[in-house]
Amino acid sequence: LVIGCTQKSMPVWISERDLEGYVPCDEAELSQDIPNFEDLSPEQKRIAHERYTLIAGVLPFLGDNRLRSEAIALIASSHNVSKQTIRSYLCRYLAYQNPSVLAPQPRKQETPLSRDEKNMRWALNKFYYTRHKNSLAVAYAQMLRHRYCNESGVLLGCYPTIHQFRYFFRKH
């Protein structure tokens, strides 16, 4: 019964000859990304413990796919958590064998928006999210007209492309 530590997939049964040529991962290398349980804040410890208790009921059924799926479904419905969340916690725990990996990770600080991103947000709010239901192309054209043209209506040299505008729209 093996689990992929890099893909974080559910455990599967494989034959011993499939393990030929297997290079074991060094325990120190695997655990270098794991926070020490003692270094976690009390809130992080509490959340890690709660997440571990969620998956503890699944651990006896790791070898049987049907029983494991039933246990995950039962836990998900009784605790109002999605099945995918339970699977994610289970795979993360099995890969590292350490409950501290279940602690929430600190969120990265958002980077401030650039001038172009501020202009794109302005254009989306002003021309796209309206009762007129303009398309993204119309909102993009209006942004160029209002923010990237000089007084005589000539387009300036540096402006975001429509692809950047669409990417910003989908991202935010």
Side-chain angles (χ1 to χ4, degrees), residues 3-14:
I3 183 170
C5 295
T6 54
Q7 296 97 6
K8 310 272 189 318
S9 58
M10 293 302 276
V12 293
W13 289 99
I14 62 172

Side-chain angles (χ1 to χ4, degrees), residues 25-95:
C25 181
D26 185 7
E27 193 72 31
E29 179 184 342
L30 185 63
S31 64
Q32 71 185 2
D33 298 333
I34 302 173
N36 187 359
F37 195 75
E38 303 307 319
D39 296 338
L40 298 176
S41 70
E43 180 68 13
Q44 287 175 315
K45 287 179 184 179
R46 183 187 63 77
I47 292 172
H49 182 67
E50 285 176 3
R51 291 175 178 178
Y52 179 76
T53 55
L54 281 177
I55 63 168
V58 181
L59 294 176
F61 307 112
L62 286 179
D64 188 348
N65 291 345
R66 186 183 58 79
L67 291 176
R68 181 179 64 216
S69 295
E70 289 174 4
I72 289 173
L74 181 67
I75 291 169
S77 65
S78 66
H79 290 285
N80 246 359
V81 179
S82 73
K83 291 187 245 181
Q84 188 57 42
T85 300
I86 301 294
R87 285 187 190 103
S88 172
Y89 294 160
L90 181 64
C91 291
R92 219 176 330 159
Y93 173 75
L94 291 174

Side-chain angles (χ1 to χ4, degrees), residues 20 73 99 118 135:
E20 290 175 9
K118 287 180 184 178
S135 67

